[in-house]
Amino acid sequence: MPVNAQPESGSATSRPLPPVERALRRFRRLKVAAAAFAAAALAGTAALALYIRSLPPLDLSAASNRSTVVLDREGKLLRPFLTADGRWKLPVTSDDVDPRYLAMLKAYEDKRFDSHHGIDPLGLARAAGQMLRHGRVVSGGSTITMQVARLIDPPQDQRSLAAKLRQVVRALELERTLKKREILDLYLALAPYGGNLEGLRAASLSWFGKEPRRLSFAEQALLVGLPQAPEARRPDRDLAAALRARDRILARSQQAGLLSREEQIGALREAFKGERKAFPAYASHAAAAAHAAEPQRRVLQFTIDQRLQASLEQLVRENVDRLGPKVTGALLAIDNATGDVLAHVGSADY
C-alpha cells in the first residue's frame, strides 16, 4: 500500500463538525429531551388527576365518634363513658391544652406546620436523604396534616408509596377545607396514645390523672412522643421506651428555646411509674341513668357541683365503713332556693 494513501470518504477520521453544526445538534437533542420530559409530566399529572378523582369524598365523621361525657354545673368532668367500640375518646380542642404542649408538638413533629400547605417539601427531602444514608426509614417526613389524613382515612398498607401518595392528596384536601386550628384540633382528638386511649385528653387523664392544661413539661413531652409508636412506647408495657422518647423531646424542646436548661434537667428527673389511672367517676348512678336514657347524646350536663359531690361521696364512704359491711348509704343535696340537685350519691360504692 502506498505510504501516502488517503482515507476513504466517511471513515472515522473524517473532519470534525463545524461549531455551528455541533450547536444545532445539541439544541435538537435538548428539544427531544424537553419534549419527552413534558410528555412524562403531562402523563403524570393526568394520572394523578385520575387518582384523585377515584378517591371517595373525604369523610370527617371519625372525629364525631366520641365518648359521652357527663359534666357538672361549671363544665368539669364528672364521668366519661366508653364508646360503642370500647375506646376512650374524650372531646378536646386547642383551647383545652397548655400552649407549651402545642409548641412542643410542632417543634418535634412539624416545625413548619403554621406555614406549609399540607406537605413539607423540606421534611420529605430530609426523610429521603436519611433513608438513602441509613438504608431504612428514619423519619417519615409526615406533617401533622398528613398524620390527620392517615387517621381519618387509614390505608391498608401504611408503609407503601401508594399510601404515602394518598396521605399527601388527603393532606392537601384538608388544608383546602379546614383552618390550621381545626386540623390541629383533629390531631388532638384522634391521635392514638396506647391501648384504647384516643385523643390527648383521654391520654392525659389516664396516664397522669390530669386535664391537659395542667401537665408538667415532662408529662407534655411524653405525650408528644406516644402517638409515633403508641404500642411500642406504652408506659405500662415498656416504660423505658416511653422515657427515652420523652427525653429526646425534652432535648429538642430545649434546643428550640421552649424551656431552659434548668427546666429540662428538672423534667428529666421527674418520676413516672407508667401506670394507668382510673377516669373520674363522680355521681356515677345519676350519670349512668342519664346516659341510658339518652345514649345518643355526647354531652350531659348536671346542676351538680363536682367539688361538693366528691366531698359527700367521701363522707358517705367513711360513715358506711365505720358502721360495718351490712350497711349502705345514699345522699341527695338540693339547693332549696332553686331546686337544683347539687350532689347525688347513690351508694357508698358504685
Side-chain angles (χ1 to χ4, degrees), residues 222 226 231-248 272-274:
L222 191 140
L226 262 184
E231 295 307 316
R233 296 177 182 172
R234 272 183 62 171
D236 58 345
R237 290 187 176 177
D238 193 339
L239 180 57
L243 294 178
R244 284 194 299 270
R246 179 200 72 175
D247 294 351
R248 284 195 299 272
F272 175 50
K273 294 182 179 180

Side-chain angles (χ1 to χ4, degrees), residues 156-168:
Q156 290 183 345
D157 179 8
Q158 299 200 13
R159 288 287 183 176
S160 68
L161 289 175
K164 188 62 70 174
L165 175 61
R166 189 178 180 113
Q167 284 177 38
V168 167

Side-chain angles (χ1 to χ4, degrees), residues 110-187:
D110 190 354
K111 288 186 288 189
R112 287 170 284 276
F113 172 75
D114 293 317
S115 60
H116 65 59
H117 299 289
I119 60 172
D120 181 2
L122 292 175
L124 290 173
R126 183 195 69 246
Q130 290 173 339
M131 185 173 69
L132 288 174
R133 282 197 305 274
H134 299 280
R136 59 183 175 83
V137 175
V138 177
S139 63
S142 293
T143 63
I144 288 175
T145 312
M146 289 173 66
Q147 293 178 51
V148 170
R150 186 179 69 246
L151 292 166
I152 290 174
D153 184 25
Q156 290 183 345
D157 179 8
Q158 299 200 13
R159 288 287 183 176
S160 68
L161 289 175
K164 188 62 70 174
L165 175 61
R166 189 178 180 113
Q167 284 177 38
V168 167
V169 171
R170 290 308 201 190
L172 295 172
E173 193 174 352
L174 281 169
E175 292 276 349
R176 287 197 307 270
T177 307
L178 303 176
K179 297 177 181 178
K180 287 287 186 179
R181 185 182 182 86
E182 293 172 319
I183 293 170
L184 195 57
D185 287 349
L186 283 173
Y187 179 87

Side-chain angles (χ1 to χ4, degrees), residues 193-229:
Y193 289 88
N196 63 347
L197 300 175
E198 186 171 304
L200 178 66
R201 192 179 181 199
S204 180
L205 287 166
S206 184
W207 292 121
F208 301 110
K210 299 178 182 179
E211 291 285 357
R213 266 195 180 276
R214 299 177 49 232
L215 294 170
S216 68
F217 282 130
E219 293 162 347
Q220 290 171 356
L222 191 140
L223 292 183
V224 166
L226 262 184
Q228 292 183 347

Side-chain angles (χ1 to χ4, degrees), residues 265-277:
I265 293 171
L268 290 170
R269 291 173 177 168
E270 190 169 305
F272 175 50
K273 294 182 179 180
E275 300 169 352
R276 281 183 61 163
K277 293 174 170 56

Side-chain angles (χ1 to χ4, degrees), residues 314-329 348:
Q314 180 66 25
L315 178 67
V316 170
R317 276 195 300 271
E318 289 174 353
N319 280 276
V320 165
D321 289 344
R322 178 173 55 82
L323 293 172
K326 294 185 179 181
V327 178
T328 189

